[in-house]
């Protein structure tokens, strides 16, 4: 019995040792374990049982144990790939730290610098200092140092021999800062400078400017000053005044006198023989001030510049006609038509167009000196340039009817002369002479005209009866005139002659 138990104990111990061994192979899968399982060991009861038949014993003999399958080698674990080290993030470049802006000095420091430069004895530095002072005045016109800066600037200009810019600067100082100690000093320096440098013609005008207009508005005072200078003495301070006007438009944009100052600038240029600059200034007025009351004036001035200084009659006429078309009620219309007629006559030799311009004047301005002059010009053009004496005679009769007076008398006498010399129509001549005495009996020419009419009937027309009749009319209408007795005697002689 002990012998039977011993193998069992040994088997259990072996199994236990295998389970505890740390080096024991891993358990195979369940399927493999069942296939490789050893046949069951014989139990103690088997020894007491009778052995079966041979063939049965043979069948029951245990099959030889199959060779244990080699345990599958565990697949080598793939070596873990080293994780890529993250690239170090680029450190952002440090933003440049802006240097703190230099704090600009105020007007006091800037003026102190400019004043020191202005007082330097070196002429070249003083010249540069003028630029510094001019910049200071432009930047700080309302500063308390501005009047002194302007006075210094005027002094440097005068020292440099530029008396006209110095005069303009002193005037501006006086008008801009009238109630200051510096303003009083400026007035004194200005009057001294005018007395020394200005011409005898300009001196009274410039001295009159020290009387300021009664307005508290600085811009209005300055506008009045520059417009006065441009109007009364355009050639006295031309360049500095033109510069001051341009500076005014920058300082005071939209000022109510902007168009007037623009017109003054154009007039300055024209008065100083700068027609191109004047033309552009007038055009600028038309472009920038659509509601200006000076537009017709600007258009007229453009025509005049083309007609005279620029010598382009066709462009001048175009400008004049544009004025007539756009501004029919403007006072400049008459002059525009007159100038157009003159250019057609004198420059372009287009006489029919000249007559057309004059006829427009007669139509638009009847019974005025303009229409009188135009009718005379028409008659002259018709007779002398167009060889149309008949038309000229009709024009002269229109003149007499429209205007009367001495002009009417002269027109009828001239028409009678055309009838005699050009047309050789003596009957017409006699009628026109009689018309003088009929329409203008009080005129000093009336008795002579009637007497001459009688002579035409007698000599040129050989109409004795008509001549006697007219001679008697002379004595009847003008009994106190010296021709009365002569006319009566002539009528009597014709009546008694065969």
């Amino acid at each position: 019995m002990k012998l039977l138990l011993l193998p069992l104990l040994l088997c259990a111990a072996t199994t236990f040792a295998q389970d505890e061994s740390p080096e024991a192979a891993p358990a195979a899968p369940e399927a493999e374990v069942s296939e490789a399982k050893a046949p069951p060991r014989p139990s103690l009861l088997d020894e007491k049982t009778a052995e079966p038949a041979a063939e049965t014993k043979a069948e029951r003999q245990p099959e030889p144990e199959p060779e244990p399958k080699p345990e599958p080698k565990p697949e080598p674990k793939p070596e873990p790939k080293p994780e890529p080290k993250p690239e170090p993030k680029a450190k952002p470049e440090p933003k440049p730290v802006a240097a703190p802006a230099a704090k600009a000095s105020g007007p006091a420091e800037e003026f102190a610098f400019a004043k020191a430069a202005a007082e330097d004895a070196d002429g070249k530095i003083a010249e540069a200092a003028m630029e510094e002072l001019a910049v200071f005045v432009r930047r700080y016109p309302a500063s308390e140092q501005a009047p002194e800066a302007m006075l210094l600037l005027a002094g440097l200009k005068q020292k440099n021999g530029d008396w006209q810019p110095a005069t303009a600067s002193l005037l501006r100082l006086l008008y801009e800062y009238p109630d200051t100690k510096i303003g009083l000093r400026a007035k004194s320096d200005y009057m001294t400078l005018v007395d020394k440098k200005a011409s005898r013609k300009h001196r009274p005008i410039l001295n009159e400017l020290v009387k300021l207009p009664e307005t508290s508005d600085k811009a209005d005072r300055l506008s009045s000053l520059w417009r006065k200078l441009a109007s009364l003495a355009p050639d006295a301070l031309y360049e500095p005044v033109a510069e001051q006007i341009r500076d005014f438009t920058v300082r005071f944009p939209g000022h109510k006198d902007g168009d007037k100052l623009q017109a003054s600038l154009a007039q300055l240029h024209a008065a100083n023989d700068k027609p191109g600059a004047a033309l552009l200034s007038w055009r600028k007025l038309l472009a920038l001030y659509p509601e200006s009351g000076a537009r017709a004036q600007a258009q007229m001035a453009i025509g005049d510049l083309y007609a005279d200084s620029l010598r382009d009659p066709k462009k001048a006429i175009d400008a004049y006609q544009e004025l007539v078309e756009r501004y029919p009620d403007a006072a400049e219309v008459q002059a525009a038509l007159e100038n157009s007629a003159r250019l057609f006559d004198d420059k372009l030799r287009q006489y029919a167009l000249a007559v057309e311009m004059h006829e427009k004047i007669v139509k638009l301005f009847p019974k005025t000196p303009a229409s009188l002059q135009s009718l005379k010009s028409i008659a002259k053009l018709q007779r002398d340039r167009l060889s149309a004496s008949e038309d000229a005679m009709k024009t002269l009769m229109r003149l007499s009817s429209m205007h009367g007076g001495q002009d009417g008398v002269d027109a009828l006498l001239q028409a009678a002369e055309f009838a005699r010399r050009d047309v050789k129509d003596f009957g017409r001549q006699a009628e026109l002479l009689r018309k003088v005495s009929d329409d203008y009996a009080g005129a000093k020419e009336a008795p002579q005209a009637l007497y001459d009419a009688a002579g035409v009937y007698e000599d040129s027309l050989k109409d004795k009866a008509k001549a006697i009749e007219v001679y008697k009319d002379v004595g009847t209408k003008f009994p106190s005139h010296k021709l009365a007795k002569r006319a009566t005697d002539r009528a009597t002689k014709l009546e008694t002659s065969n």
Side-chain angles (χ1 to χ4, degrees):
M1 187 67 177
K2 291 178 181 179
L3 292 173
L4 292 173
L5 291 173
L6 183 61
L8 291 172
L9 291 173
L10 288 174
C11 181
T14 302
T15 304
F16 178 77
Q18 287 177 350
D19 290 340
E20 290 294 323
S21 174
E23 296 178 0
E30 291 183 4
E32 291 181 3
V33 170
S34 62
E35 289 179 2
K37 196 173 182 180
R41 297 179 181 271
S43 67
L44 294 177
L45 298 176
D46 291 339
E47 295 180 1
K48 293 179 179 183
T49 305
E51 291 183 4
E55 61 272 16
T56 306
K57 285 180 181 182
E59 289 175 2
R60 289 183 177 182
Q61 285 181 355
E63 295 178 0
E65 292 184 3
E67 293 181 4
K69 292 183 179 180
E71 295 180 1
K73 293 181 180 180
E75 293 183 2
K77 295 182 179 180
E79 295 183 3
K81 292 182 180 180
E83 294 184 2
K85 294 182 180 180
E87 294 183 2
K89 293 183 179 179
K91 294 183 179 179
E93 294 184 4
K95 294 182 179 179
V97 179
K103 186 178 180 181
S105 300
E109 292 82 359
E110 189 168 338
F111 174 68
F113 164 75
K115 182 178 180 180
E119 293 171 349
D120 195 292
D122 191 324
K124 291 183 179 179
I125 294 180
E127 185 175 343
M130 285 193 285
E131 294 296 329
E132 292 293 336
L133 288 168
V135 169
F136 178 85
V137 171
R138 283 196 295 271
R139 288 181 64 185
Y140 305 108
S143 68
E144 61 179 353
Q145 298 86 2
E148 187 178 355
M150 291 180 69
L151 188 66
L152 285 171
L153 181 58
L156 288 176
K157 289 177 179 178
Q158 185 177 354
K159 186 178 179 180
N160 201 41
D162 300 327
W163 76 270
Q164 290 175 317
T167 304
S169 294
L170 289 169
L171 270 175
R172 175 183 166 185
L173 197 165
L174 175 60
Y175 275 66
E176 193 157 349
Y177 311 102
D179 300 324
T180 63
K181 181 177 66 175
I182 297 294
L184 183 62
R185 171 69 183 278
K187 182 186 290 188
S188 175
D189 289 355
Y190 169 78
M191 296 179 73
T192 301
L193 191 56
V194 167
D195 288 341
K196 286 182 178 180
K197 296 293 186 179
S199 67
R200 185 175 299 177
K201 179 183 78 170
H202 292 144
R203 202 175 298 153
I205 300 171
L206 295 177
N207 279 328
E208 190 69 18
L209 292 174
V210 297
K211 298 178 182 178
L212 274 64
E214 295 181 0
T215 174
S216 60
D217 187 87
K218 177 193 304 185
D220 288 350
R221 289 197 302 270
L222 289 171
S223 170
S224 171
L225 168 64
W226 306 132
R227 287 188 288 122
K228 273 185 182 178
L229 267 171
S231 174
L232 300 177
D235 55 338
L237 306 172
Y238 164 51
E239 290 185 357
V241 171
E243 182 179 351
Q244 291 289 350
I245 290 176
R246 286 189 287 264
D247 181 72
F248 181 96
T249 59
V250 174
R251 289 185 64 195
F252 307 102
H255 190 268
K256 62 183 178 62
D257 292 336
D259 59 332
K260 296 175 184 176
L261 280 166
Q262 188 65 37
S264 295
L265 182 60
Q267 291 165 346
L268 271 176
H269 290 318
N272 289 276
D273 197 25
K274 298 289 188 292
L279 183 70
L280 288 180
S281 294
W282 287 120
R283 284 180 174 173
K284 189 173 182 179
L285 187 152
L286 292 174
L288 300 186
Y289 302 95
E291 303 300 325
S292 172
R295 292 178 67 81
Q297 177 191 358
Q299 193 67 46
M300 183 71 188
I302 290 172
D304 290 344
L305 286 167
Y306 276 125
D308 301 326
S309 302
L310 300 175
R311 298 181 182 181
D312 192 332
K314 289 191 174 183
K315 285 188 177 180
I317 292 172
D318 289 343
Y320 293 140
Q321 295 307 303
E322 187 171 353
L323 189 158
V324 173
E325 181 180 346
R326 290 192 176 187
Y327 316 105
D329 298 326
E332 292 84 0
V333 168
Q334 176 185 315
L337 290 171
E338 289 172 346
N339 289 351
S340 296
R342 175 177 56 82
L343 291 172
F344 277 129
D345 184 0
D346 297 342
K347 301 300 181 183
L348 300 178
R349 303 291 190 268
Q350 296 173 340
Y351 306 116
L353 292 177
V355 168
E356 183 178 327
M357 293 297 103
H358 283 302
E359 288 289 4
K360 284 186 177 181
I361 295 172
V362 173
K363 181 180 179 180
L364 293 173
F365 308 99
K367 299 182 180 181
T368 64
S371 66
L372 172 62
Q373 186 57 50
S374 285
L375 286 167
K376 290 180 179 180
S377 298
I378 291 170
K380 182 175 175 58
L381 286 165
Q382 288 170 333
R383 180 177 185 263
D384 298 344
R385 301 300 187 185
L386 299 173
S387 300
S389 295
E390 281 283 357
D391 292 337
M393 291 163 60
K394 293 176 183 178
T395 298
L396 290 169
M397 291 179 71
R398 285 168 58 204
L399 188 159
S400 177
S401 175
M402 181 179 291
H403 293 280
Q406 188 61 48
D407 293 306
V409 172
D410 294 341
L412 291 177
L413 291 175
Q414 190 176 18
E417 184 65 12
F418 290 174
R420 182 183 71 83
R421 294 178 59 181
D422 301 344
V423 184
K424 309 299 182 185
D425 186 343
F426 302 111
R428 187 89 169 273
Q429 177 191 7
E431 289 175 7
L432 289 167
L433 290 170
R434 290 182 70 183
K435 187 171 180 60
V436 173
S437 69
D438 292 340
D439 294 350
Y440 305 98
K444 62 181 180 180
E445 296 88 353
Q448 185 67 59
L450 189 57
Y451 187 85
D452 291 343
V456 172
Y457 284 120
E458 179 185 358
D459 299 331
S460 300
L461 296 173
K462 308 300 181 183
D463 188 339
K464 183 178 179 180
K466 200 69 172 176
I468 292 171
E469 177 188 340
V470 175
Y471 279 131
K472 287 181 178 181
D473 286 343
V474 174
T476 303
K477 288 185 176 182
F478 310 103
S480 60
H481 195 272
K482 63 181 180 180
L483 290 175
K485 186 176 183 305
R486 187 187 302 179
T488 301
D489 291 345
R490 189 62 186 165
T492 301
K493 186 176 181 178
L494 286 174
E495 285 176 334
T496 58
S497 64
N498 292 327

